[in-house]
Amino acid sequence: MTNKIDINMKKMILFATIYFLTTITFAQSTWTTEIPDYAFSVKVTPNSDSGYTAVGLTGDVDLTERSYRIYKINSDGELIWSTEPITSNDTTIWINATNEWFLSPPKGIIQLENSDYIIYGHINSGPAFAMKICSDGHLMWIRIYEDYWTPELPTHLENFFEMPNNEIWGLLRNEQVCYVIKLDSNGNIIDTFTPLLQGKTTSIMKISANKLLITTFLGSLAFGINFYITDINFNIINEKNYKISPSVIKQNPFSNNIYIYDKRFNKNHGLLILNETLDSIDYIHQDTFYPNPYIFINLEIYDIIFTSDNNIAMTGWIYDVGENNPIYIRCDLFGIPEIIYPYMNVHPNRGTRIFEDKTDKGIIMLQESNNGIYGARTFLVKVFSNGSFTNSIEKSINIYDIKIFPNPAEEIIFINSEKKLNGKITITDTNGKTVVEQQITENTTLALDIGGLFKGVYIITISNNEFIYSTKFTKN
């Protein structure tokens, strides 16, 4: 049964932007739906009918009864159907299964053009597998790829996508070798390739009808990651090397540029942007789209999309010692934030997937806790495009009811608040350089002299121990 809950945000720290010159259209409804059965490691895909289909791993803590279940959720957040458990103990499904084998979390789910689904993953210490589920939830087939497995080299399937002629392509890899495999519509491997590329293949994605983007790891960050654009016969068209640690790779459908979230350990994370020939055209440091005044609050992004108005929307988590929380960020293509919306005091502690609703442009996020089977809870959440759950847009975004005007401005900008403000005002340019910093005490109205600033776009941030408010303005 679908469990809809109200999310408690009483400790909310809000970052938000309100546009004064643009009318924003918000989603007509919001909802929060919990994935049943305490499913965890959930993967989800949007459907052609505007709904969503998810697959998750369920079972007990000693791993003896792990199973997959698949869930169909419509565009109103209602659970339409779920499958019976699919387990590794069912010998009609898992050929030659042994007592040492149990299911590992699913690696992914995709919907095919005919509306059926492919789910792929691997059995712990065992071979990789794929299964096909028809659009009404019935199991069509499961294939286990034992020919590519030995007990010493467990195999994994990753990065599946559909190609013409009903072929399904993806990676089948172990610790020593990686194959690009082609499956027919019945899941049989009809061809394998080992692309003649430098390094170990780590990802593959289709970027056009006849081009692929492939990444390879060269052994250490010191040598970096090779990026290749190839044709579908793996002939290299372009090749570049970047010393980054990519965790999310997405293509902007409007420009065809490639956006890569770089999460190098102990380094400032950011977005590397490549053009169609793999030239670097920008690197947006994370403190641009997450201007964080509290150094102990860290951010990691798990997913990125490009909205219908050609902005960037991201989800992930913010974390410090002892507390993790999901977050939603919306920024322009230069990383200037419009909305930064963390969800505090909620059951999930991170956002792992993000989508835009096809009809009303609301935002769908998969938010989950990562506490294992006990305590694991996963939610599919629909919010307004500004991140909030209610129709009280201004109040839910801006708890101090702050207004900053005029925008654009020439010499003076005014800050007006319903509550007395205490804290700090900071103005930064689009490169992250602080150009104005001022303390405020017990003010509800404040005039700020900006006559000495160069013309351009700036971000103004007001912060104290209760909240953080950011918006951008233009200096004429």
Coordinates of all heavy atoms in Angstrom, one line a residue, residues 242-308:
Y242 N 41.6 13.9 -18.8 CA 41.4 14.8 -17.8 C 41.7 14.2 -16.4 O 41.3 13.0 -16.2 CB 40.0 15.4 -17.8 CG 39.7 16.2 -19.0 CD1 39.1 15.7 -20.1 CD2 40.1 17.5 -19.1 CE1 38.8 16.4 -21.3 CE2 39.9 18.3 -20.3 CZ 39.2 17.7 -21.3 OH 39.0 18.4 -22.5
K243 N 42.4 14.9 -15.5 CA 42.7 14.4 -14.2 C 41.6 14.7 -13.2 O 41.8 15.6 -12.4 CB 44.1 14.9 -13.8 CG 45.2 14.3 -14.6 CD 46.6 14.9 -14.2 CE 47.7 14.2 -15.0 NZ 47.5 14.3 -16.5
I244 N 40.6 13.9 -13.4 CA 39.4 14.1 -12.5 C 38.9 12.8 -12.0 O 39.4 11.7 -12.5 CB 38.2 14.9 -13.3 CG1 37.8 14.0 -14.5 CG2 38.7 16.2 -13.8 CD1 36.5 14.5 -15.1
S245 N 37.9 12.8 -11.2 CA 37.3 11.6 -10.7 C 35.8 11.7 -10.9 O 35.0 12.2 -10.1 CB 37.6 11.4 -9.2 OG 36.9 10.2 -8.7
P246 N 35.3 11.3 -12.1 CA 33.9 11.5 -12.5 C 33.0 10.5 -11.8 O 33.3 9.3 -11.7 CB 33.9 11.2 -14.0 CG 35.1 10.3 -14.2 CD 36.1 10.6 -13.2
S247 N 31.9 11.0 -11.2 CA 30.9 10.2 -10.6 C 29.5 10.3 -11.3 O 28.7 9.4 -11.2 CB 30.7 10.5 -9.1 OG 30.2 11.8 -9.0
V248 N 29.3 11.4 -12.0 CA 28.0 11.6 -12.8 C 28.4 12.1 -14.1 O 29.2 13.1 -14.2 CB 27.0 12.5 -12.1 CG1 25.7 12.6 -12.9 CG2 26.7 12.1 -10.7
I249 N 27.9 11.5 -15.2 CA 28.2 12.1 -16.6 C 26.9 12.2 -17.3 O 26.1 11.2 -17.4 CB 29.1 11.1 -17.4 CG1 30.5 10.9 -16.6 CG2 29.4 11.7 -18.8 CD1 31.4 9.9 -17.3
K250 N 26.5 13.4 -17.7 CA 25.2 13.6 -18.4 C 25.5 14.5 -19.6 O 26.3 15.4 -19.6 CB 24.2 14.3 -17.4 CG 23.7 13.4 -16.3 CD 22.9 12.3 -16.9 CE 22.3 11.4 -15.8 NZ 21.2 12.0 -15.1
Q251 N 24.6 14.3 -20.6 CA 24.7 15.1 -21.8 C 23.5 16.1 -21.8 O 22.4 15.8 -21.5 CB 24.6 14.3 -23.1 CG 24.8 15.1 -24.3 CD 24.7 14.2 -25.6 OE1 23.9 13.2 -25.6 NE2 25.4 14.5 -26.6
N252 N 23.9 17.4 -22.1 CA 22.8 18.4 -22.2 C 22.1 18.2 -23.5 O 22.8 18.4 -24.6 CB 23.4 19.8 -22.1 CG 22.4 20.9 -22.1 OD1 21.3 20.8 -22.6 ND2 22.8 22.0 -21.5
P253 N 20.8 17.9 -23.6 CA 20.2 17.7 -24.9 C 20.0 18.9 -25.7 O 19.8 18.8 -26.9 CB 18.8 17.1 -24.4 CG 18.6 17.7 -23.1 CD 19.9 17.7 -22.4
F254 N 20.2 20.1 -25.1 CA 20.0 21.3 -25.9 C 21.3 21.7 -26.6 O 21.2 22.2 -27.7 CB 19.5 22.5 -24.9 CG 18.3 22.2 -24.2 CD1 18.3 21.7 -22.9 CD2 17.0 22.3 -24.8 CE1 17.2 21.4 -22.2 CE2 15.9 22.0 -24.1 CZ 15.9 21.6 -22.8
S255 N 22.4 21.5 -26.0 CA 23.7 21.9 -26.5 C 24.6 20.7 -26.9 O 25.6 20.9 -27.7 CB 24.5 22.8 -25.5 OG 24.8 22.0 -24.4
N256 N 24.3 19.5 -26.5 CA 25.1 18.3 -26.6 C 26.4 18.4 -25.9 O 27.2 17.5 -26.0 CB 25.3 18.0 -28.1 CG 24.1 17.6 -28.8 OD1 23.2 17.0 -28.3 ND2 24.0 18.0 -30.1
N257 N 26.6 19.4 -25.0 CA 27.8 19.4 -24.2 C 27.7 18.3 -23.1 O 26.5 17.9 -22.7 CB 27.9 20.8 -23.5 CG 28.3 21.9 -24.5 OD1 28.9 21.6 -25.5 ND2 28.0 23.1 -24.1
I258 N 28.8 17.9 -22.6 CA 28.9 16.8 -21.6 C 29.2 17.5 -20.3 O 30.2 18.2 -20.2 CB 30.0 15.8 -22.0 CG1 29.7 15.2 -23.4 CG2 29.9 14.6 -21.0 CD1 28.4 14.5 -23.6
Y259 N 28.4 17.2 -19.3 CA 28.6 17.7 -17.9 C 29.1 16.6 -17.0 O 28.4 15.5 -17.0 CB 27.4 18.3 -17.4 CG 27.0 19.7 -17.9 CD1 26.7 19.9 -19.3 CD2 27.1 20.8 -17.1 CE1 26.4 21.1 -19.8 CE2 26.8 22.1 -17.6 CZ 26.5 22.2 -18.9 OH 26.2 23.5 -19.4
I260 N 30.2 16.7 -16.3 CA 30.8 15.7 -15.5 C 31.0 16.2 -14.1 O 31.7 17.2 -13.9 CB 32.1 15.2 -16.1 CG1 32.0 14.8 -17.6 CG2 32.8 14.1 -15.3 CD1 33.2 15.0 -18.4
Y261 N 30.3 15.5 -13.1 CA 30.5 15.9 -11.7 C 31.8 15.2 -11.3 O 32.0 14.0 -11.3 CB 29.4 15.4 -10.9 CG 29.5 15.9 -9.4 CD1 29.5 17.2 -9.1 CD2 29.7 14.9 -8.4 CE1 29.7 17.6 -7.8 CE2 29.9 15.3 -7.1 CZ 29.8 16.6 -6.8 OH 30.0 17.0 -5.5
D262 N 32.8 16.1 -10.8 CA 34.1 15.6 -10.4 C 34.2 15.6 -8.9 O 34.0 16.7 -8.3 CB 35.1 16.6 -11.0 CG 36.5 16.4 -10.5 OD1 36.8 15.3 -10.1 OD2 37.3 17.4 -10.6
K263 N 34.4 14.5 -8.3 CA 34.4 14.4 -6.8 C 35.8 13.8 -6.3 O 35.8 12.8 -5.6 CB 33.3 13.5 -6.3 CG 33.2 12.1 -7.0 CD 32.2 11.2 -6.3 CE 32.8 10.7 -5.0 NZ 31.9 9.7 -4.3
R264 N 36.8 14.5 -6.7 CA 38.2 14.1 -6.3 C 38.2 14.2 -4.7 O 37.8 15.1 -4.1 CB 39.2 15.0 -6.9 CG 39.6 14.7 -8.3 CD 40.5 15.7 -8.9 NE 39.7 16.9 -9.2 CZ 40.3 18.0 -9.7 NH1 41.6 18.0 -10.0 NH2 39.6 19.1 -10.0
F265 N 38.8 13.2 -4.1 CA 38.9 13.1 -2.7 C 39.8 14.3 -2.2 O 40.9 14.6 -2.7 CB 39.6 11.8 -2.3 CG 39.7 11.6 -0.8 CD1 38.5 11.4 0.0 CD2 40.9 11.6 -0.2 CE1 38.6 11.2 1.3 CE2 41.0 11.4 1.2 CZ 39.9 11.2 2.0
N266 N 39.3 14.9 -1.1 CA 39.9 16.0 -0.5 C 40.2 17.2 -1.4 O 41.1 18.0 -1.2 CB 41.3 15.6 0.1 CG 41.1 14.8 1.4 OD1 40.1 15.0 2.1 ND2 42.1 14.0 1.8
K267 N 39.4 17.3 -2.5 CA 39.5 18.4 -3.4 C 38.1 19.1 -3.5 O 37.1 18.5 -3.2 CB 40.0 18.0 -4.8 CG 41.4 17.4 -4.8 CD 42.4 18.4 -4.7 CE 43.8 17.8 -4.9 NZ 44.9 18.8 -4.7
N268 N 38.1 20.3 -4.0 CA 36.9 21.0 -4.2 C 36.2 20.3 -5.4 O 36.7 20.3 -6.5 CB 37.1 22.5 -4.5 CG 35.8 23.2 -4.6 OD1 34.8 22.9 -4.1 ND2 35.9 24.3 -5.4
H269 N 35.0 19.8 -5.2 CA 34.3 19.2 -6.3 C 33.8 20.2 -7.2 O 33.8 21.4 -6.9 CB 33.1 18.4 -5.7 CG 33.5 17.3 -4.7 ND1 32.5 16.5 -4.0 CD2 34.7 16.8 -4.3 CE1 33.2 15.7 -3.3 NE2 34.5 15.8 -3.4
G270 N 33.3 19.8 -8.4 CA 32.8 20.7 -9.4 C 32.3 20.0 -10.6 O 32.3 18.8 -10.7
L271 N 31.9 20.8 -11.6 CA 31.4 20.4 -12.9 C 32.3 20.7 -14.0 O 32.6 21.9 -14.2 CB 30.0 21.0 -13.2 CG 28.8 20.5 -12.4 CD1 27.6 21.4 -12.7 CD2 28.5 19.1 -12.7
L272 N 32.9 19.7 -14.7 CA 33.7 19.9 -15.9 C 32.7 19.8 -17.1 O 31.9 18.9 -17.2 CB 34.7 18.8 -16.0 CG 35.5 18.8 -17.3 CD1 36.4 20.0 -17.4 CD2 36.4 17.5 -17.3
I273 N 32.8 20.8 -17.9 CA 31.9 20.8 -19.1 C 32.8 20.7 -20.4 O 33.8 21.4 -20.6 CB 31.2 22.2 -19.2 CG1 30.4 22.4 -17.9 CG2 30.2 22.1 -20.4 CD1 29.7 23.8 -17.8
L274 N 32.4 19.6 -21.2 CA 33.1 19.4 -22.4 C 32.2 19.6 -23.6 O 31.0 19.4 -23.5 CB 33.6 17.9 -22.5 CG 34.4 17.4 -21.3 CD1 34.8 15.9 -21.5 CD2 35.6 18.3 -21.0
N275 N 32.8 20.1 -24.7 CA 31.9 20.2 -25.9 C 31.9 18.9 -26.7 O 32.4 17.9 -26.2 CB 32.4 21.4 -26.8 CG 33.8 21.2 -27.3 OD1 34.4 20.1 -27.3 ND2 34.5 22.3 -27.8
E276 N 31.4 19.0 -27.9 CA 31.2 17.7 -28.7 C 32.5 17.1 -29.2 O 32.5 16.0 -29.6 CB 30.3 18.0 -29.9 CG 28.8 18.3 -29.5 CD 28.0 18.6 -30.7 OE1 27.4 17.6 -31.2 OE2 27.9 19.8 -31.1
T277 N 33.6 17.9 -29.1 CA 34.9 17.3 -29.5 C 35.8 17.1 -28.3 O 37.0 16.9 -28.4 CB 35.6 18.3 -30.5 OG1 35.8 19.6 -29.8 CG2 34.8 18.4 -31.7
L278 N 35.1 17.1 -27.1 CA 35.8 16.8 -25.8 C 36.7 17.9 -25.3 O 37.5 17.6 -24.4 CB 36.5 15.4 -25.8 CG 35.6 14.2 -26.1 CD1 36.4 12.9 -26.1 CD2 34.5 14.1 -25.0
D279 N 36.7 19.1 -25.9 CA 37.4 20.2 -25.4 C 36.8 20.7 -24.1 O 35.5 20.8 -24.0 CB 37.5 21.3 -26.4 CG 38.3 20.9 -27.6 OD1 39.3 20.3 -27.5 OD2 37.8 21.1 -28.8
S280 N 37.6 21.1 -23.1 CA 37.0 21.7 -21.9 C 36.6 23.1 -22.2 O 37.4 23.9 -22.6 CB 38.1 21.6 -20.8 OG 37.7 22.3 -19.6
I281 N 35.4 23.4 -21.9 CA 34.9 24.8 -22.1 C 34.6 25.5 -20.8 O 34.4 26.7 -20.8 CB 33.6 24.8 -23.1 CG1 32.5 24.0 -22.5 CG2 34.0 24.3 -24.4 CD1 31.2 24.0 -23.3
D282 N 34.6 24.7 -19.7 CA 34.3 25.4 -18.4 C 34.6 24.4 -17.3 O 34.4 23.2 -17.5 CB 32.9 26.0 -18.3 CG 32.8 27.1 -17.3 OD1 33.9 27.4 -16.6 OD2 31.8 27.7 -17.1
Y283 N 34.9 24.9 -16.1 CA 34.9 24.1 -14.9 C 34.3 24.9 -13.8 O 34.8 26.0 -13.5 CB 36.4 23.7 -14.5 CG 36.4 22.7 -13.3 CD1 36.5 21.3 -13.6 CD2 36.2 23.1 -12.0 CE1 36.5 20.4 -12.6 CE2 36.2 22.1 -11.0 CZ 36.3 20.8 -11.3 OH 36.3 19.9 -10.3
I284 N 33.1 24.5 -13.4 CA 32.3 25.2 -12.4 C 32.6 24.7 -11.0 O 32.2 23.5 -10.7 CB 30.8 25.2 -12.7 CG1 30.5 25.7 -14.1 CG2 30.0 26.0 -11.7 CD1 29.1 25.5 -14.5
H285 N 33.4 25.4 -10.2 CA 33.7 24.9 -8.9 C 32.4 24.8 -8.0 O 31.5 25.6 -8.2 CB 34.7 25.8 -8.2 CG 36.1 25.7 -8.7 ND1 36.9 24.7 -8.4 CD2 36.7 26.4 -9.7 CE1 38.0 24.8 -9.1 NE2 38.0 25.9 -9.8
Q286 N 32.4 23.8 -7.1 CA 31.2 23.6 -6.4 C 30.7 24.8 -5.5 O 29.5 24.9 -5.3 CB 31.4 22.3 -5.5 CG 30.2 21.9 -4.7 CD 30.3 20.4 -4.3 OE1 30.2 19.5 -5.1 NE2 30.6 20.2 -3.1
D287 N 31.7 25.6 -5.1 CA 31.3 26.7 -4.3 C 30.6 27.8 -5.1 O 30.1 28.8 -4.5 CB 32.5 27.3 -3.5 CG 33.6 27.7 -4.4 OD1 33.5 27.7 -5.6 OD2 34.7 28.0 -3.8
T288 N 30.5 27.6 -6.4 CA 29.7 28.5 -7.2 C 28.2 28.2 -7.1 O 27.4 29.0 -6.8 CB 30.1 28.4 -8.7 OG1 31.4 28.8 -8.8 CG2 29.2 29.4 -9.5
F289 N 27.8 26.9 -7.3 CA 26.4 26.5 -7.2 C 26.0 26.1 -5.7 O 24.9 25.9 -5.4 CB 26.0 25.4 -8.1 CG 26.9 24.2 -8.1 CD1 26.6 23.2 -7.2 CD2 27.9 24.0 -9.0 CE1 27.4 22.0 -7.2 CE2 28.7 22.9 -9.0 CZ 28.4 21.9 -8.1
Y290 N 27.0 26.0 -4.9 CA 26.7 25.8 -3.4 C 27.6 26.7 -2.6 O 28.6 26.3 -2.0 CB 27.0 24.3 -3.1 CG 26.7 23.9 -1.7 CD1 25.5 23.9 -1.2 CD2 27.8 23.5 -0.8 CE1 25.2 23.5 0.1 CE2 27.5 23.1 0.5 CZ 26.2 23.1 0.9 OH 26.0 22.7 2.2
P291 N 27.2 28.0 -2.6 CA 28.1 29.0 -1.8 C 27.9 28.8 -0.3 O 27.0 29.3 0.3 CB 27.5 30.3 -2.3 CG 26.1 30.0 -2.7 CD 26.1 28.6 -3.2
N292 N 28.7 27.9 0.2 CA 28.5 27.4 1.6 C 29.4 28.2 2.6 O 30.6 28.1 2.6 CB 29.0 25.9 1.6 CG 28.9 25.3 3.0 OD1 28.2 25.8 3.9 ND2 29.6 24.2 3.2
P293 N 28.7 28.9 3.5 CA 29.5 29.7 4.5 C 29.9 28.8 5.7 O 30.7 29.3 6.5 CB 28.5 30.7 5.0 CG 27.1 30.0 4.8 CD 27.3 29.2 3.6
Y294 N 29.4 27.6 5.8 CA 29.7 26.7 6.9 C 30.6 25.6 6.3 O 30.2 24.7 5.7 CB 28.5 26.1 7.5 CG 27.6 27.1 8.1 CD1 26.3 27.3 7.6 CD2 28.0 27.9 9.1 CE1 25.5 28.3 8.1 CE2 27.1 28.9 9.6 CZ 25.9 29.1 9.1 OH 25.1 30.0 9.6
I295 N 31.9 25.7 6.6 CA 32.9 24.8 6.0 C 32.6 23.3 6.4 O 33.0 22.4 5.7 CB 34.3 25.2 6.4 CG1 35.3 24.5 5.5 CG2 34.6 24.9 7.9 CD1 36.7 25.1 5.6
F296 N 32.0 23.1 7.5 CA 31.8 21.7 8.0 C 30.6 21.0 7.3 O 30.3 19.8 7.5 CB 31.6 21.6 9.5 CG 30.4 22.5 10.0 CD1 29.1 22.0 10.0 CD2 30.7 23.8 10.4 CE1 28.1 22.8 10.5 CE2 29.6 24.6 10.9 CZ 28.3 24.1 10.9
I297 N 29.8 21.8 6.5 CA 28.6 21.2 5.8 C 29.1 20.9 4.4 O 29.3 21.8 3.6 CB 27.4 22.1 5.8 CG1 27.0 22.4 7.2 CG2 26.3 21.5 5.0 CD1 25.8 23.3 7.3
N298 N 29.3 19.6 4.1 CA 29.8 19.2 2.8 C 28.7 18.8 1.8 O 27.6 18.5 2.3 CB 30.8 18.0 2.9 CG 31.9 18.4 3.8 OD1 32.8 19.2 3.5 ND2 32.0 17.8 5.0
L299 N 28.9 18.8 0.6 CA 28.0 18.5 -0.5 C 28.5 17.4 -1.4 O 29.7 17.5 -1.8 CB 27.6 19.7 -1.3 CG 26.8 19.5 -2.6 CD1 25.3 19.1 -2.2 CD2 26.8 20.7 -3.4
E300 N 27.7 16.5 -1.7 CA 28.1 15.5 -2.8 C 26.8 15.3 -3.7 O 25.7 15.1 -3.2 CB 28.5 14.2 -2.2 CG 29.0 13.2 -3.3 CD 29.6 11.9 -2.8 OE1 30.0 11.9 -1.6 OE2 29.6 10.9 -3.5
I301 N 27.0 15.4 -5.0 CA 26.0 15.3 -6.0 C 25.9 13.9 -6.5 O 26.9 13.3 -6.8 CB 26.2 16.3 -7.1 CG1 26.1 17.7 -6.6 CG2 25.1 16.1 -8.2 CD1 24.8 18.1 -6.0
Y302 N 24.7 13.3 -6.6 CA 24.4 12.0 -7.1 C 23.8 11.9 -8.4 O 23.9 10.9 -9.1 CB 23.5 11.2 -6.1 CG 24.3 10.6 -4.9 CD1 24.6 11.5 -3.8 CD2 24.6 9.3 -4.8 CE1 25.3 10.9 -2.7 CE2 25.3 8.8 -3.7 CZ 25.6 9.6 -2.7 OH 26.3 9.1 -1.6
D303 N 23.1 13.0 -8.8 CA 22.4 13.0 -10.1 C 22.2 14.4 -10.6 O 22.0 15.3 -9.8 CB 21.1 12.2 -10.1 CG 20.6 11.8 -11.4 OD1 21.4 11.8 -12.4 OD2 19.4 11.5 -11.6
I304 N 22.2 14.5 -11.9 CA 22.0 15.8 -12.6 C 21.0 15.6 -13.8 O 21.1 14.6 -14.5 CB 23.4 16.3 -13.2 CG1 24.4 16.5 -12.0 CG2 23.2 17.6 -14.0 CD1 25.8 16.8 -12.5
I305 N 20.2 16.6 -14.0 CA 19.3 16.7 -15.2 C 19.4 18.1 -15.7 O 19.8 19.0 -15.1 CB 17.9 16.3 -14.9 CG1 17.2 17.2 -13.9 CG2 17.8 14.8 -14.5 CD1 15.7 17.1 -13.8
F306 N 18.9 18.2 -17.0 CA 18.7 19.5 -17.6 C 17.2 19.8 -17.8 O 16.5 19.0 -18.4 CB 19.5 19.6 -18.9 CG 20.9 19.3 -18.7 CD1 21.5 18.1 -18.8 CD2 21.8 20.4 -18.4 CE1 22.8 17.8 -18.6 CE2 23.1 20.2 -18.2 CZ 23.6 18.9 -18.3
T307 N 16.7 20.8 -17.2 CA 15.3 21.1 -17.2 C 14.8 21.6 -18.5 O 15.6 22.0 -19.4 CB 14.9 22.0 -16.1 OG1 15.6 23.3 -16.3 CG2 15.3 21.5 -14.7
S308 N 13.5 21.6 -18.7 CA 12.9 22.1 -20.0 C 13.3 23.5 -20.3 O 13.2 23.9 -21.5 CB 11.4 21.8 -20.0 OG 10.8 22.5 -18.9

